[in-house]
Amino acid sequence: MATIFEVEKLALDLPEQERAKLAANLLDSLPGVLSDEDEGIAEALRRDAEIDADPNQAMTLAQLDSKIKNRRS
């Protein structure tokens, strides 16, 4: 049986389209990250309620872009 390192080397040697297809298939084989089991939806709803209660906690897209640009400098 091939090791993960052997599989990875073979995969990285594939053409870009085939690597993309392989990656998509691998991701489709995994369970979703946000599910009720891990309370991801509950966390999103909690954060939404916090922003509704205090809109000053939120930032605009322009503010986010500015913070990102300042980090890069």
Side-chain angles (χ1 to χ4, degrees), residues 2 5-6 11 15-16 18-19 22 27 29 36 43 46 51 53-54 57-58:
F5 300 108
E6 294 167 330
E16 185 176 316
E18 290 182 25
R19 287 195 324 269
L22 175 61
L27 288 173
S29 74
D36 289 336
E43 176 67 13
R46 183 188 65 76
I51 290 172
D54 183 7
Q57 291 183 22

Side-chain angles (χ1 to χ4, degrees), residues 4-56:
I4 185 70
F5 300 108
E6 294 167 330
V7 171
E8 181 181 20
K9 180 174 180 351
L10 291 170
L12 291 173
D13 288 339
L14 293 170
E16 185 176 316
Q17 272 192 309
E18 290 182 25
R19 287 195 324 269
K21 185 175 180 180
L22 175 61
N25 289 340
L26 289 171
L27 288 173
D28 284 343
S29 74
L30 297 172
V33 174
L34 291 180
S35 68
D36 289 336
E37 293 174 346
D38 69 7
E39 299 181 12
I41 294 171
E43 176 67 13
L45 293 172
R46 183 188 65 76
R47 291 179 184 193
D48 187 53
E50 285 179 357
I51 290 172
D52 285 345
D54 183 7
N56 292 326

